[in-house]
């Protein structure tokens, strides 16, 4: 972050601190009222999205008269499972071989050897891009790989992905019908590896099956996930590809697609991938995502309301984009909301001394109700996606995941954005993107 932004942030924090010290009652009332208003608007919006998202996602007819060429970009760095992903694209996705093109972009010698071997074996399908001088981020690699794409459709595929057999057919049908960008539902295959991977799988099910599907159904702005994105190559080139320094390049690109008046659809197809099993890799991954959203907030908060952009985005598009971009702030507000509400309840019970007397209104408990909406979305998404969940057993884990792990990741991302240069904290993949029982389907 620039010195100017640090100065603005410091001045704002100093102002809030002075307000709290000089006028504690007014500060507390303003704080509680602001949080309640934010959560109420947030909650009503997500209730509407949830109702829409419970409807089935887009399921296009896969009987194509002609097959547009598809260029699949697989970015990899230090990924020994790269060969498996290439094999999946070649042999396990139903689509004519002569209409497939696989661009393997690697930043390491091991990946270069794997990619070179496949390029030699399948020179008509595989293209290898081994980067020597590089900016070590995924969007930078994607931009470089795009120069080699010759397909009508470009798909971004993470190295741990195993797509459904018919995913190319469905994506091609959707784009031929007029969509410029669609995304699949990401499913977690290593659900049972730990409670973190279980809750992560539930979160993904709620996010992709309900929340993104709901946004698409309501023609609102829908952010992209990091993989399983299918684009018209012409549209991708029109918006300028990826921003190489953004750590949530998918969400940032979705904003530019919306500014170009294109929405992102959700199709009833899946890429199976894996979730982090332990806290440390989860924290690195989530901090990277949150920091990327913060980067996009700094970039677009002053742009979205310009008349030309606002007309293109529409009010619903602007609101939906801002809801996503301030998500890291919302999860931190959970701490304040729960803390103030808990103190108020204990104060009313006579356990703690009277500090908030007459300051905190009874309706300040509203945020707690809307927090429960997220738990419902995750549980309902899991059921819709066939993930076995014992609700009573998983609830404490969900609460810890949402109200402890998420705020820690957000604060870490904010610290990095304030004081550290852009860098890519890579997620290590063990190759367990799909349980073998799921892999057998392919």
């Amino acid at each position: 972050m620039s010195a100017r932004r640090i100065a603005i942030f410091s001045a704002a924090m100093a102002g809030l601190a002075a307000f709290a010290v000089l006028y504690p009652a007014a500060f507390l009332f303003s704080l509680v009222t602001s949080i309640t208003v934010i959560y109420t608007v947030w909650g009503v919006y997500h209730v509407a999205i949830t109702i829409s998202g419970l409807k089935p996602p887009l399921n296009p007819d896969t009987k194509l008269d002609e097959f547009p060429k598809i260029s699949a970009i697989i970015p990899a760095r230090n990924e020994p499972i790269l060969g498996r992903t290439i094999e999946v694209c070649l042999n396990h996705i139903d689509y004519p071989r002569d209409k497939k093109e696989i661009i393997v972009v690697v930043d390491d010698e091991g990946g270069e050897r794997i990619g070179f071997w496949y390029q030699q074996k399948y020179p008509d399908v595989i293209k290898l891009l081994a980067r020597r001088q590089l900016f070590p981020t995924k969007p930078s690699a994607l931009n470089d790989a795009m120069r080699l794409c010759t397909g009508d459709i470009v798909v971004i595929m993470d190295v741990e992905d195993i797509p459904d057999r018919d995913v190319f057919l469905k994506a091609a049908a959707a784009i031929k019908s007029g969509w410029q960008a669609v995304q699949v539902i990401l499913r977690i295959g290593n659900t049972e590896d730990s409670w973190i991977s279980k809750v992560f799988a539930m979160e993904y099910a709620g996010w992709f099956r309900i929340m993104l599907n709901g946004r698409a159904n309501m023609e609102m702005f829908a952010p992209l996930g990091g993989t399983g994105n299918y684009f018209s190559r012409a549209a991708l080139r029109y918006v300028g590809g990826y921003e190489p320094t953004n750590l949530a390049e998918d969400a940032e690109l979705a904003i530019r697609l919306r500014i170009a008046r294109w929405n992102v659809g959700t199709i009833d197809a899946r890429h199976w991938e894996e979730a982090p099993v332990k806290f440390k890799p989860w924290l690195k991954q989530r901090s990277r995502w949150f920091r990327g959203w913060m980067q996009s907030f700094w970039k677009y908060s002053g742009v979205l309301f310009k008349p030309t952009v606002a007309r293109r985005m529409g009010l619903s598009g602007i609101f939906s984009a801002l809801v996503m971009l301030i998500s890291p702030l919302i999860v931190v507000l959970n701490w304040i909301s729960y803390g103030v509400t808990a103190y108020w309840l204990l104060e009313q019970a006579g356990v703690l001394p009277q500090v908030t007397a007459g300051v905190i209104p009874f309706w300040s408990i509203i945020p707690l109700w809307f927090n429960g909406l997220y738990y419902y979305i995750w549980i309902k998404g899991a059921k819709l996606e066939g993930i076995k969940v014992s609700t009573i057993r998983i609830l404490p884990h969900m609460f810890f995941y949402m109200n402890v792990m998420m705020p820690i990741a957000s604060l870490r991302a904010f610290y990095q954005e304030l004081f550290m240069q852009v860098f890519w904290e890579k997620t290590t993949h063990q190759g367990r993107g799909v349980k073998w029982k799921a892999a057998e389907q392919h």
Side-chain angles (χ1 to χ4, degrees), residues 89-164:
C89 288
L90 283 170
N91 302 316
H92 296 288
I93 298 177
D94 292 334
Y95 208 74
R97 172 72 68 87
D98 64 343
K99 295 296 183 178
K100 293 179 185 177
E101 177 180 69
I102 302 172
I103 316 296
V104 181
V105 52
V106 297
D107 294 350
D108 64 294
E109 293 182 358
E112 183 177 336
R113 285 192 292 270
I114 295 172
F116 183 73
W117 187 88
Y118 276 98
Q119 181 179 250
Q120 293 295 98
K121 187 175 182 180
Y122 304 101
D124 56 329
V125 182
I126 309 292
K127 293 180 180 178
L128 170 66
L129 174 59
R131 303 201 302 166
R132 290 286 189 267
Q133 295 181 345
L134 56 101
F135 188 76
T137 65
K138 177 182 174 181
S140 172
L142 295 177
N143 281 342
D144 290 343
M146 278 174 54
R147 297 175 181 272
L148 299 181
C149 293
T150 61
D152 304 299
I153 296 171
V154 175
V155 53
I156 310 302
M157 188 175 301
D158 279 354
V159 76
E160 80 269 28
D161 284 16
I162 295 183
D164 284 348

Side-chain angles (χ1 to χ4, degrees), residues 49-330:
I49 283 179
T50 300
I51 293 171
S52 178
L54 293 175
K55 300 175 184 177
L58 179 66
N59 191 15
D61 186 359
T62 57
K63 295 179 180 179
L64 301 176
D65 298 327
E66 57 180 355
F67 298 91
K69 187 175 182 180
I70 296 181
S71 298
I73 301 178
I74 306 175
R77 175 155 53 99
N78 299 321
E79 296 284 8
I81 63 172
L82 173 60
R84 185 202 69 175
T85 313
I86 296 172
E87 291 283 354
V88 166
C89 288
L90 283 170
N91 302 316
H92 296 288
I93 298 177
D94 292 334
Y95 208 74
R97 172 72 68 87
D98 64 343
K99 295 296 183 178
K100 293 179 185 177
E101 177 180 69
I102 302 172
I103 316 296
V104 181
V105 52
V106 297
D107 294 350
D108 64 294
E109 293 182 358
E112 183 177 336
R113 285 192 292 270
I114 295 172
F116 183 73
W117 187 88
Y118 276 98
Q119 181 179 250
Q120 293 295 98
K121 187 175 182 180
Y122 304 101
D124 56 329
V125 182
I126 309 292
K127 293 180 180 178
L128 170 66
L129 174 59
R131 303 201 302 166
R132 290 286 189 267
Q133 295 181 345
L134 56 101
F135 188 76
T137 65
K138 177 182 174 181
S140 172
L142 295 177
N143 281 342
D144 290 343
M146 278 174 54
R147 297 175 181 272
L148 299 181
C149 293
T150 61
D152 304 299
I153 296 171
V154 175
V155 53
I156 310 302
M157 188 175 301
D158 279 354
V159 76
E160 80 269 28
D161 284 16
I162 295 183
D164 284 348
R165 278 190 175 275
D166 60 355
V167 66
F168 278 17
L169 293 169
K170 287 187 175 181
I175 290 177
K176 283 191 65 179
S177 70
W179 289 90
Q180 299 299 318
V182 293
Q183 62 186 334
V184 300
I185 297 169
L186 298 185
R187 277 291 307 272
I188 299 301
N190 62 328
T191 306
E192 305 300 330
D193 281 0
S194 72
W195 71 264
I196 290 178
S197 64
K198 169 76 82 172
V199 177
F200 193 106
M202 297 173 64
E203 179 193 8
Y204 257 37
W207 178 246
F208 286 94
R209 174 57 182 84
I210 296 178
M211 297 176 74
L212 293 187
N213 180 44
R215 283 176 168 90
N217 289 339
M218 296 177 69
E219 297 185 353
M220 286 188 169
F221 163 79
L224 289 159
T227 182
N229 308 151
Y230 292 77
F231 306 98
S232 157
R233 184 165 66 99
L236 194 54
R237 292 181 64 183
Y238 179 84
V239 299
Y242 290 91
E243 183 182 342
T245 60
N246 193 290
L247 301 179
E249 77 292 340
D250 41 11
E252 192 278 334
L253 174 62
I255 295 175
R256 284 184 281 121
L257 286 168
R258 176 73 184 211
I259 292 174
R261 293 195 174 104
W262 292 319
N263 290 327
V264 176
T266 300
I267 59 174
D268 191 11
R270 283 142 194 85
H271 279 207
W272 292 75
E273 57 172 30
E274 70 182 38
V277 176
K278 297 182 179 179
F279 175 69
K280 188 174 181 180
W282 178 92
L283 179 63
K284 290 181 178 180
Q285 183 185 67
R286 192 57 56 110
S287 297
R288 187 180 76 236
W289 295 351
F290 279 167
R291 186 179 179 186
W293 291 359
M294 292 175 189
Q295 289 176 299
S296 297
F297 179 80
W298 303 128
K299 177 178 179 180
Y300 288 106
S301 57
V303 174
L304 295 179
F305 293 100
K306 290 184 176 180
T308 302
V309 176
R311 284 195 298 270
R312 288 174 167 270
M313 289 281 288
L315 291 178
S316 65
I318 293 173
F319 180 77
S320 190
L322 289 175
V323 165
M324 179 201 72
L325 296 179
I326 67 169
S327 293
L329 170 64
I330 296 296

